[in-house]
Amino acid sequence: MAADIAVVSFERFLNGDDNDRKAVAQEIYDAFSSVGWVYVKDHGISQARVDEIFRLAKTFFDLPLEDKLKWKLTDASVNQGYTADGAEGNGGIDHKECYEHRRYRNDLCPAEDVLPGFRTTLDEFYAQCLTLGMNVLRCLAIAMKLGDGFFDRITLRTDPQMRLLHYPAIERKIIEQEGHARIFPHTDFGLCTLLFQDSIGGLEVDPFHTGDFKPATPRPGTVLINIADLLQRLTNDRCKSTRHRVVSPKTEGDMLPARFSIPFFIHPDPETMIDPVTLSADEVKHYEPVNAGEWRIAHTMKDYKLADAPKEAVASA
Ligand SMILES: O=C(O)CCC(=O)C(=O)O
Ligand SMILES: [Fe+2]
């Protein structure tokens, strides 16, 4: 049975009055403080645009490997460019390849004459995702009565990571071996993630935080949004950063079809200290403050196996 993840329409937030916005904010908060995931529909990004990005992703990943390696991601502090199948892992062997696109620096991006429209279209979609993500964070601020501008202050120079993800077609028996997956169970480590997925399926979440993973089935027209580790810390465990993974889709046959997805990972301004918010004088903070920039680099290094990440910076993840 699929995970019980609420579907929330964002229409009343975008076009309604204060009361409408409060009602949507509460629905989003309820989802984030239980399962940690929500499907958002009527989010203002057209399906035509989303389809266009999936097409661009396919065009990019169809290029020969030696071409893609010209844009190879090597620097965790920039975290931009291409990562080949098998190069990233968080505890097991992932069968996927990715391309990361950033806000301020995209040196490792195919040029216009190589992939016409790639950079400009990704930049436009990036801006739309950022607007949507900031509105979702505003919902949290409204529901928790932190003041509407709370997240604007800690995301002044936010530089999210938009990721094009391709899970190549692969034999089922490879993915279903012990220690292999399309993506191994993990939590995301920033503030929150917007996730667009195609119709293939295979994404699963751990809704009760017990290790009992349930499918997060593709729902056309929606974007899945999940809480990541820094928001769980910042909200002093009110919002849940929930483990998730990508396994074989429920299809017949020995070969799994290729799957594409597009996560957009929102991180705070790198200078920000993430210190848990307490809502009453006797509430105890569950976490020490951490510097958002150091946290991000340490986790990126760990995931991409780029070097040994400083142990103290990742120990509390
Ligand atoms: O492909 C997916 O649906 C999930 C991707 C994911 O969890 C990640 O990249 O962190
Ligand atoms: Fe993830």
Side-chain angles (χ1 to χ4, degrees):
M1 221 183 54
D4 190 11
I5 301 175
V7 183
V8 173
S9 169
F10 219 50
E11 212 273 325
R12 285 202 298 160
F13 186 91
L14 295 175
N15 301 318
D17 58 20
D18 274 359
N19 283 334
D20 291 318
R21 273 190 283 280
K22 270 191 200 143
V24 174
Q26 192 59 46
E27 288 181 50
I28 299 256
Y29 179 80
D30 289 346
F32 282 163
S33 54
S34 51
V35 182
W37 289 67
V38 66
Y39 289 97
V40 173
K41 62 177 186 178
D42 311 318
H43 45 64
I45 304 179
S46 75
Q47 193 55 42
R49 170 46 58 89
V50 176
D51 293 344
E52 184 182 19
I53 304 297
F54 275 96
R55 275 197 305 276
L56 274 181
K58 181 162 185 338
T59 309
F60 174 81
F61 290 117
D62 278 347
L63 293 173
L65 180 61
E66 66 262 30
D67 286 2
K68 290 182 280 191
L69 287 172
K70 289 184 204 143
W71 304 295
K72 185 172 178 227
L73 185 155
T74 49
D75 182 347
S77 66
V78 182
N79 192 16
Q80 192 275 312
Y82 172 71
T83 301
D85 193 355
E88 193 198 18
N90 40 38
I93 300 176
D94 286 354
H95 295 274
K96 66 181 198 308
E97 55 177 345
C98 343
Y99 166 77
E100 322 293 338
H101 200 75
R102 296 287 292 264
R103 183 174 182 188
Y104 296 120
R105 280 187 66 182
N106 287 304
D107 302 345
L108 298 167
C109 176
E112 186 60 23
D113 57 336
V114 181
L115 278 187
F118 186 78
R119 179 191 290 257
T120 46
T121 313
L122 288 193
D123 283 344
E124 284 168 24
F125 183 59
Y126 188 108
Q128 291 177 293
C129 290
L130 183 54
T131 303
L132 176 58
M134 290 309 300
N135 276 332
V136 168
L137 289 176
R138 202 156 293 133
C139 284
L140 269 188
I142 293 171
M144 289 179 67
K145 302 191 175 56
L146 300 175
D148 277 23
F150 179 85
F151 284 100
D152 296 337
R153 282 194 296 284
I154 67 164
T155 51
L156 278 178
R157 287 178 307 114
T158 181
D159 191 354
Q161 170 190 351
M162 184 164 82
R163 161 178 274 193
L164 307 182
L165 244 174
H166 173 221
Y167 303 91
I170 191 167
E171 280 185 86
R172 182 183 296 278
K173 65 172 190 256
I174 299 179
I175 293 288
E176 295 183 359
Q177 292 171 96
E178 184 70 30
H180 291 249
R182 283 196 142 164
I183 190 165
F184 229 63
H186 66 282
T187 54
D188 296 343
F189 55 81
L191 287 175
C192 66
T193 307
L194 276 50
L195 177 70
F196 297 86
Q197 56 171 332
D198 68 11
S199 58
I200 297 295
L203 173 68
E204 295 188 343
V205 307
D206 178 10
F208 308 110
H209 316 283
T210 56
D212 185 13
F213 284 86
K214 304 273 185 223
T217 342
R219 284 177 173 268
T222 65
V223 54
L224 263 169
I225 305 186
N226 65 286
I227 293 291
D229 297 344
L230 281 184
L231 254 187
Q232 172 160 337
R233 292 177 82 101
L234 185 64
T235 60
N236 211 24
D237 287 334
R238 286 186 173 76
C239 293
K240 306 287 183 222
S241 177
T242 301
R243 286 203 310 153
H244 51 286
R245 65 184 185 188
V246 180
V247 295
S248 302
K250 307 266 173 282
T251 48
E252 302 281 309
D254 296 339
M255 278 303 280
L256 302 184
R259 175 173 183 269
F260 292 84
S261 71
I262 308 165
F264 185 81
F265 304 99
I266 302 187
H267 293 266
D269 184 299
E271 303 294 327
T272 310
M273 290 305 287
I274 297 296
D275 191 11
V277 169
T278 49
L279 299 184
S280 66
D282 56 356
E283 186 180 338
V284 177
K285 293 189 184 194
H286 300 172
Y287 303 98
E288 294 297 314
V290 288
N291 171 273
E294 286 169 17
W295 173 272
R296 180 175 188 171
I297 292 173
H299 281 77
T300 305
M301 283 164 85
K302 187 172 124 247
D303 280 0
Y304 288 95
K305 301 181 207 136
L306 290 173
D308 286 336
K311 287 200 178 48
E312 62 283 6
V314 293
S316 42

